[in-house]
Amino acid sequence: GPVLTGDMHARSIAQLAETVKAAMEDAAGTRVRVSGPPVLFEALRQAAGDRAAHFDFTESPFPDLTVRIDDRLFETRLAEWSAAMEETLS
């Protein structure tokens, strides 16, 4: 349960950070709008390194991080994974 969830969060954030870094290479100087839970944002901010200086964060009640760069949208999709695990384990 908690170990799998923690591992999934870490892998999801790492993958999102790499996607954001790649997307920002094409859009230097662009502001990146991030919304979601503060704990996941902090993990993304740390994983993004220097590029995090371009992030504008808005806290939201949803369990996923959503990242907008220009007209592109990226998200973690952790809520779907969590629901599928609950259904499987019930």
Side-chain angles (χ1 to χ4, degrees), residues 34-41 57-67:
V34 183
S35 63
V39 68
L40 292 182
F41 171 71
F57 175 65
T58 303
E59 186 174 347
S60 80
F62 302 109
D64 289 301
L65 271 184
T66 301
V67 177

Side-chain angles (χ1 to χ4, degrees), residues 1-69:
V3 172
L4 285 175
T5 300
D7 182 55
M8 181 57 81
H9 283 178
R11 287 190 294 156
S12 182
I13 293 299
Q15 185 177 22
L16 182 60
E18 290 304 314
T19 301
V20 168
K21 287 178 189 178
M24 288 182 72
E25 287 178 6
D26 298 335
T30 298
R31 298 304 297 170
V32 177
R33 294 177 311 278
V34 183
S35 63
V39 68
L40 292 182
F41 171 71
E42 183 58 30
L44 177 64
R45 189 185 66 73
Q46 289 179 8
D50 293 341
R51 289 184 175 90
H54 297 274
F55 291 179
D56 293 323
F57 175 65
T58 303
E59 186 174 347
S60 80
F62 302 109
D64 289 301
L65 271 184
T66 301
V67 177
R68 286 183 173 78
I69 302 173

